[in-house]
Amino acid sequence: MCGIVGMIGSRPVSPLLLDGLRRLEYRGYDSAGIATLTNGVIDIRRATGKLDQLAQRLVDQPLAGHVGIGHTRWATHGKPTEANAHPHATAKVAVVHNGIIENYRALRTELEAKGHAFASETDSETIAHLITDYLDQGLTPQQATAASLKRLEGAFALGIVFVGHNDLLIGARRGSPLAIGFGDGEAYLGSDALALAPLTNRIAYLEEGDWAELYAGKIIIHDAADKIVDRKIHITALSGAMIGKGQYRHFMLKEIFEQPAVIGDTLSALTTPDDALAMPPLPFDWKDVPRVTIVGCGTACYAGVVAKYWFEQLARLPVEVDIASEFRYREAPMQAGGVTIAVSQSGETADTLAALHYAKSQGQKILAVVNVPQSSIARLADVTVPTMAGPEIGVASTKAFTTQLTVLLCLALTAAQARGAIDAARAKAILHALREIPAQINAVLRDEHHIQELAHHLADARDVLYLGRGLLYPIAMEGSLKLKEISYIHAEGYPAGELKHGPIALIDENMPVVVLAPGGALYEKTASNIQEVAARGGKVIMISDKSGIAHVGAKTFWNIALPETDAAVAPLLYSVPVQLLAYYTAIAKGTDVDQPRNLAKSVTVE
Ligand code: M6R
């Protein structure tokens, strides 16, 4: 999604804005631009494609100025052309925008009728003209901004500069996040704290409807009613240095390899070394909860599907899990006393946020499982249990997913104990197995070359089917999503038991079928499905433990042997080979692994 940076101070801002944009690259974008105020005019450089194009343009035509705004655009309204790239400007203001202005057509018609000439197809340009219209009526920049914000419908984070006001930068938020950075004699705004990491560690997060005046030595924040308010300043722990790839070729690979450490960190925060839970206090008692609702998007939603099995099997607590974009509009009746769990890496996903607003309006307690503690979802929740994955830069989620699973399993075990649904020995055994997961993942990672070799065979496939049962069904869906996202190969994740009800028609000698078949109660059932696929000439890629592979009784194309583990924690372990398989298939195909086409890391618009 679009990324925003802004800066005001006494040094040239253009190189710093470009650096801020590089830190936002991971969000996904297809064009970029920077505007500064110089000699009483707005000076803009924009370019389509990667930031290197913009950087080259800045080398050819440098930008001076001590106040400016920058933007990476992920196209929504209008193609990724230079004309549609931000900043959008009139003779009086320049604007960068993240979000969608839903009433832009009506506003544009109104402004065009007044003589405003538009240069792009975007909804964002409307904001520049609207503010200009108020300036033309004699309002100050602050008044014009406040008046314009009241006319905008939809979601936005904005950065605005005004001709003739070299000492002023304005930021605003509704629906999309915006961080404000406090410097010494400088002030900044950014879509997230990461963008501002080398400039400051003192960050305030604008609340819904807030807007802020940024001056070189002062920041004034207003709420939605234009009243001056204080917002807490957080000291962020993000490193000033660019978060790097280290020895790895891609962030995704680095993040896959970080999993043993970050799962370990997450577990250390939630358990004791003697296999007991040490969860933060919750504002409800699991004993009294009649029903849990879990919402999320993409990978986060699949973590929720795994959690459904855990809560239902271990805690005997009914769970509904839904894709947030569906849940937000389906007007689900919600039971009094219910808990809604939001799962999100970024904590900014627009649909998940909207689903939570609905759940809150229905009297539900909100529990957030997020990776960014200051995110909008965390702030809306009654309680947050954070994943400790650290910044995840690769668009394809990996370590965020397995740390989400870690937190969700600990929550399910807490609920199980509170409800008396699990005996102490079984709870201890699961926690013990969970504590062994980091070491077992390390063993899988040591064997990555075996998966790398397999990926060469997968790279030519047109379609790939992933099968799993029970707790492994969501991992089949997650494996197929990973492959689609970064290798652009069509893939589907199916419950293995559904094979005979349709997908089996797809099986022929060209169809690779990845089957997740850990030991446990469902092993024999899945082994039967493997035989059905093999009997029809399908290429079975079997992921199991040594004993599972030895006893399958069917000809498989490739076997990936994982350490034996308790069936309850298998989703964590079995996530890793499907991540590696997607990664190396993408490498074999030569795609852009960390920033796959069309995808955004954090989906802050609907
Ligand atoms: O930040 P979130 O966890 O809320 O993001 C949800 C999805 O957009 C995200 O998981 C997406 O599916 C990833 N690209 C998956 O790899």
Side-chain angles (χ1 to χ4, degrees):
M1 290 285 113
C2 305
I4 286 180
V5 286
M7 177 177 175
I8 185 161
S10 53
R11 47 182 173 156
V13 291
S14 159
L16 299 163
L17 291 172
L18 183 64
D19 184 60
L21 292 181
R22 287 204 187 281
R23 291 165 180 279
L24 293 173
E25 265 196 300
Y26 76 96
R27 294 163 72 94
Y29 68 104
D30 33 47
S31 59
I34 288 178
T36 57
L37 291 181
T38 43
N39 308 322
V41 291
I42 295 165
D43 214 357
I44 300 184
R45 304 286 178 269
R46 301 185 291 191
T48 56
K50 293 287 178 193
L51 276 178
D52 286 344
Q53 309 294 118
L54 178 65
Q56 187 55 51
R57 193 141 302 175
L58 288 164
V59 170
D60 298 340
Q61 298 169 281
L63 272 182
H66 297 168
V67 54
I69 48 181
H71 190 265
T72 47
R73 174 173 187 254
W74 186 84
T76 57
H77 295 66
K79 291 193 176 124
T81 59
E82 193 170 319
N84 287 335
H86 298 216
H88 290 291
T90 64
K92 293 188 172 172
V93 303
V95 172
V96 287
H97 167 221
N98 169 23
I100 290 178
I101 303 302
E102 287 166 1
N103 59 337
Y104 84 99
R105 279 200 190 87
L107 290 172
R108 183 168 172 152
T109 307
E110 175 191 320
L111 291 160
E112 280 176 335
K114 288 182 169 179
H116 288 264
F118 282 69
S120 78
E121 304 158 276
T122 65
D123 54 332
S124 311
E125 193 188 352
T126 316
I127 305 166
H129 287 280
L130 186 61
I131 297 172
T132 302
D133 201 59
Y134 284 116
L135 292 171
D136 289 344
Q137 293 171 35
L139 269 60
T140 63
Q142 293 83 346
Q143 291 166 335
T145 303
S148 299
L149 293 178
K150 292 183 181 56
R151 307 258 341 256
L152 299 177
E153 288 167 20
F156 50 79
L158 303 175
I160 315 161
V161 290
F162 301 81
V163 170
H165 297 269
N166 288 8
D167 60 340
L168 175 66
L169 166 65
I170 286 187
R173 91 153 263 183
R174 192 194 302 157
S176 300
L178 194 64
I180 302 291
F182 294 74
D184 292 328
E186 293 183 341
Y188 325 98
L189 53 84
S191 293
D192 59 31
L194 204 57
L196 308 180
L199 299 169
T200 183
N201 63 351
R202 288 185 294 142
I203 301 286
Y205 296 91
L206 292 190
E207 299 281 335
E208 199 56 5
D210 282 357
W211 61 280
E213 300 170 59
L214 282 70
Y215 302 91
K218 182 172 73 169
I219 295 175
I220 303 170
I221 302 180
H222 304 257
D223 66 10
D226 304 328
K227 203 166 99 253
I228 294 177
V229 284
D230 277 334
R231 297 293 178 221
K232 187 172 175 224
I233 298 178
H234 301 263
I235 306 299
T236 68
L238 292 168
S239 146
M242 184 71 128
I243 291 169
K245 293 195 272 253
Q247 79 215 51
Y248 297 96
R249 188 165 159 196
H250 293 100
F251 279 110
M252 182 181 177
L253 190 61
K254 173 173 173 263
E255 288 158 6
I256 290 173
F257 273 77
E258 279 172 357
Q259 289 179 109
V262 295
I263 291 172
D265 291 345
T266 306
L267 270 176
S268 302
L270 303 179
T271 63
T272 65
D274 56 345
D275 300 332
L277 288 163
M279 299 295 281
L282 300 176
F284 53 83
D285 188 333
W286 285 113
K287 274 205 304 294
D288 306 328
V289 175
R291 191 176 189 82
V292 169
T293 304
I294 304 181
V295 290
C297 297
T299 291
C301 185
Y302 295 148
V305 183
V306 178
K308 174 183 169 69
Y309 285 84
W310 280 329
F311 273 99
E312 294 192 340
Q313 290 173 353
L314 303 172
R316 310 303 300 151
L317 182 49
V319 175
E320 175 183 25
V321 52
D322 204 358
I323 293 164
S325 55
E326 286 300 312
F327 182 80
R328 65 182 289 187
Y329 293 119
R330 106 178 137 76
E331 297 174 22
M334 303 190 85
Q335 222 170 324
V339 169
T340 296
I341 302 180
V343 186
S344 174
Q345 188 284 127
S346 61
E348 300 294 349
T349 301
D351 286 320
T352 310
L353 198 54
L356 285 194
H357 279 293
Y358 175 78
K360 204 158 196 168
S361 75
Q362 300 298 301
Q364 302 290 291
K365 282 272 183 260
I366 308 293
L367 190 161
V369 177
V370 292
N371 198 34
V372 182
Q374 298 307 330
S375 58
S376 306
I377 290 175
R379 282 182 284 132
L380 183 70
D382 296 300
V383 62
T384 295
V385 185
T387 51
M388 316 275 271
E392 188 181 69
I393 306 296
V395 163
S397 190
T398 53
K399 61 177 181 167
F401 179 64
T402 46
T403 51
Q404 283 160 358
L405 294 181
T406 306
V407 170
L408 290 164
L409 180 50
C410 290
L411 284 169
L413 284 169
T414 314
Q417 287 182 337
R419 296 164 71 84
I422 194 167
D423 64 57
R426 180 68 188 127
K428 207 172 173 73
I430 294 175
L431 278 172
H432 184 70
L434 190 53
R435 294 180 68 83
E436 290 196 332
I437 284 290
Q440 292 183 324
I441 291 180
N442 269 326
V444 178
L445 295 173
R446 279 196 294 276
D447 213 15
E448 65 168 326
H449 301 292
H450 183 55
I451 297 177
Q452 189 171 6
E453 207 182 320
L454 165 63
H456 288 285
H457 297 277
L458 220 60
D460 295 328
R462 205 190 61 180
D463 311 282
V464 179
L465 196 59
Y466 285 72
L467 300 177
R469 275 179 187 263
L471 282 164
L472 274 297
Y473 160 46
I475 306 304
M477 293 195 286
E478 169 60 5
S480 74
L481 177 64
K482 287 286 89 91
L483 191 74
K484 274 187 276 218
E485 283 188 296
I486 58 170
S487 77
Y488 316 146
I489 294 173
H490 169 247
E492 277 193 71
Y494 246 91
E498 270 289 291
L499 186 65
K500 288 199 258 315
H501 300 282
I504 200 162
L506 298 170
I507 307 289
D508 64 13
E509 59 287 351
N510 297 317
M511 173 64 100
V513 183
V514 178
V515 190
L516 304 164
L522 297 176
Y523 169 79
E524 292 299 341
K525 305 275 177 207
T526 315
S528 299
N529 298 127
I530 291 178
Q531 289 176 5
E532 289 156 10
V533 173
R536 285 159 183 83
K539 277 186 184 166
V540 175
I541 295 156
M542 183 177 184
I543 309 184
S544 184
D545 49 40
K546 274 204 187 94
S547 145
I549 289 168
H551 293 104
V552 69
K555 190 170 171 298
T556 54
F557 173 72
W558 207 273
N559 297 320
I560 300 172
L562 306 188
E564 274 183 36
T565 190
D566 189 305
V569 301
L572 283 111
L573 189 61
Y574 280 66
S575 297
V576 179
V578 295
Q579 294 167 349
L580 285 171
L581 189 55
Y583 174 78
Y584 281 115
T585 306
I587 294 294
K589 293 198 70 174
T591 56
D592 187 348
V593 171
D594 282 334
Q595 288 163 31
R597 69 184 180 202
N598 305 336
L599 287 180
K601 178 69 182 159
S602 172
V603 182
T604 52
V605 295
E606 237 186 302

